[in-house]
Amino acid sequence: MKKFLYLLDNFEESLAGFALLLMALLYFLEVVLRYLFSHSIAWIEEFLRYLMVFITFFGASVAIKYGAHMSVNVIEFIPSKALKRAVELFIPLLGILFSAWLVYLSWLLMLRIKGFGQQTPAMQIPMYIPYSILPLGFISMCVRFVMQFINRLKPAKQA
């Protein structure tokens, strides 16, 4: 299990980092082509839009890993240890349920888009391919919340 998590960590972070680098390079290329050569590549803007969505969803998953999402630190003010522990377990459980629900809904949306047979305007790929970023991103977030829940189930080490 630890090897799977290590691979997942490296894969997600590397993929998001590569996508961000690719996005910066393509934006630079587009600006240079447009302003220096008065020429533009039609598919770059569309691809960058989809890449931004990809980075957003996989970046959100990485943020769950590092606890970088906005939160309210009300847990530290709960006097009861039992209630504090229950709240600490409830938060990732709620994240699991929410992201699993969004996996289901985004999967249905992707299948519906696939049924339409629509293609993207510039790249001419099936429209369900960019929409597949949604369920993949939510699956990734769900896995992160599951890992967070499992880690919080472990008893705290005594100092």
Side-chain angles (χ1 to χ4, degrees):
M1 186 61 140
K2 286 184 180 183
K3 188 173 184 174
F4 169 74
L5 289 176
Y6 178 76
L7 290 174
L8 178 70
D9 287 347
N10 287 334
F11 177 73
E12 265 182 347
E13 290 181 31
S14 299
L15 201 57
F18 175 75
L20 193 58
L21 177 65
L22 179 63
M23 194 170 149
L25 291 172
L26 287 174
Y27 267 124
F28 178 75
L29 175 66
E30 184 66 13
V31 168
V32 167
L33 287 174
R34 186 175 295 153
Y35 292 107
L36 293 182
F37 301 106
S38 297
H39 179 71
S40 180
I41 300 174
W43 60 267
I44 286 183
E45 287 185 47
E46 183 177 293
F47 181 71
L48 288 170
R49 208 171 305 130
Y50 300 140
L51 203 56
M52 178 66 80
V53 173
F54 175 85
I55 291 168
T56 301
F57 280 95
F58 281 88
S61 177
V62 172
I64 291 169
K65 172 190 170 192
Y66 291 111
H69 284 281
M70 287 190 338
S71 62
V72 178
N73 294 334
V74 63
I75 296 173
E76 57 195 55
F77 298 112
I78 299 174
S80 167
K81 285 187 179 186
L83 182 59
K84 185 183 287 190
R85 178 124 170 96
V87 171
E88 285 176 348
L89 289 173
F90 178 73
I91 292 169
L93 186 61
L94 193 62
I96 292 167
L97 294 173
F98 183 69
S99 56
W101 177 245
L102 289 174
V103 166
Y104 172 72
L105 292 177
S106 60
W107 183 261
L108 291 178
L109 176 66
M110 186 191 71
L111 291 178
R112 188 171 186 193
I113 297 296
K114 185 178 181 180
F116 293 151
Q118 183 181 0
Q119 292 189 332
T120 61
M123 295 189 299
Q124 293 297 305
I125 60 171
M127 193 65 172
Y128 74 89
I129 292 174
Y131 272 83
S132 68
I133 295 168
L134 297 173
L136 291 174
F138 289 127
I139 287 169
S140 181
M141 286 185 232
C142 192
V143 168
R144 290 291 179 192
F145 280 122
V146 167
M147 295 317 304
Q148 201 177 64
F149 182 75
I150 290 171
N151 286 337
R152 289 184 182 179
L153 275 177
K154 296 176 185 173
K157 293 182 180 177
Q158 299 295 326

